[in-house]
Amino acid sequence: VVDSETDYDRNGDFKGEHEVRTPIGKVYPQPLEGLEKAFQGESNFDSQVYSDEWGTWVSAFVPMRDASGRIEAVLGVDFDARAWGAAIGKARRTVVFTTGLVLLLIVGAGLAIALLRADIMRRVEAEQRSRRAEARMQLAIRQMPLGFIEWNPQAEVLVWNPRAEKIFGYAAAEVLGQAIFPRIVAPAARTQVDQVWANFCRSSDGTHSTSENITK
């Protein structure tokens, strides 16, 4: 099942019969090797030229994962094969003066492609490392024995871990997006807490204070 829109003329607007969504049920008789690799979890640049009713292409493929890390889709970026080949050819002709330079350029073009692939892979790996680090941090927050609450400058709750649920009695769904001070700060401590928060918002330094809290 394919769901795609492609901005072939690269004008930022998806219009015309070539740029509308691929019809559900369209059959592609020959799978692309790079696409298959991406569905197996391998990001890749496939230099194998292929053609369809819209043109002739080379493509890069990156697996898209859901929150649990399972592959749920593949992002494919197509490059016009003729333009891609012409760009390489132009680069070669620019520096070809002797037979030796022709040979050197072929090696250089191969190196450029290898460097491009390596750069794409480095970026993909960096993104994957970032996602894994974020997942580890979220797991630590969920499992920590301390209440963890994160809120924005308006004191509206962004993160409320399971321990905070047990401590204060509110489920996350009850407080996410809500102003938190009226719910957990004792009325007698509100002035103090408001002042601490105001000072914190004006400063780039951290702060530490204690106050009486209330629960649901």
Side-chain angles (χ1 to χ4, degrees):
V1 175
V2 175
D3 184 14
S4 67
E5 293 173 326
T6 305
D7 187 14
Y8 285 108
D9 55 15
R10 289 174 168 77
N11 66 352
D13 198 6
F14 296 92
K15 289 184 177 179
E17 60 176 333
H18 293 328
E19 295 188 353
V20 297
R21 289 183 179 274
T22 302
I24 298 298
K26 177 178 175 61
V27 175
Y28 289 82
Q30 190 67 35
L32 299 176
E33 181 180 353
L35 182 62
E36 293 293 301
K37 288 181 179 179
F39 271 115
Q40 297 301 318
E42 178 185 343
S43 300
N44 66 92
F45 175 80
D46 189 355
S47 59
Q48 180 66 40
V49 176
Y50 73 96
S51 299
D52 58 19
E53 59 263 45
W54 295 292
T56 304
W57 317 98
V58 291
S59 302
F61 299 99
V62 178
M64 308 291 287
R65 301 177 184 271
D66 62 17
S68 64
R70 294 175 300 183
I71 298 172
E72 61 179 355
V74 166
L75 172 65
V77 181
D78 296 329
F79 303 91
D80 185 289
R82 295 186 181 90
W84 184 68
I88 294 176
K90 181 179 179 181
R92 289 174 177 171
R93 288 192 298 272
T94 301
V95 295
V96 171
F97 299 104
T98 64
T99 302
L101 287 179
V102 171
L103 180 59
L104 177 63
L105 184 60
I106 293 174
V107 174
L111 177 61
I113 293 173
L115 290 174
L116 174 61
R117 289 176 176 171
D119 183 61
I120 291 174
M121 294 303 296
R122 280 195 298 270
R123 295 186 183 195
V124 170
E125 290 170 358
E127 175 68 17
Q128 291 173 343
R129 285 196 301 271
S130 176
R131 289 181 179 180
R132 288 194 295 268
E134 173 70 16
R136 287 195 298 270
M137 184 183 74
Q138 292 299 328
L139 179 63
I141 289 173
R142 289 195 301 271
Q143 294 184 342
M144 68 170 52
L146 303 175
F148 182 94
I149 308 170
E150 179 182 342
W151 58 80
N152 62 17
Q154 290 73 46
E156 297 165 341
V157 176
L158 303 177
V159 177
W160 183 271
N161 75 346
R163 188 60 181 169
E165 291 183 337
K166 293 182 179 180
I167 292 172
F168 294 105
Y170 292 101
E174 295 180 89
V175 295
L176 289 176
Q178 303 297 315
I180 190 56
F181 292 164
R183 298 196 180 226
I184 67 172
V185 178
R190 280 298 302 275
T191 300
Q192 172 200 349
V193 171
D194 288 343
Q195 185 61 52
V196 170
W197 179 237
N199 292 340
F200 178 78
C201 289
R202 290 193 297 266
S203 172
S204 60
D205 298 325
T207 187
H208 176 268
S209 69
T210 60
S211 64
E212 183 181 359
N213 291 125
I214 55 178
T215 67
K216 185 177 181 181

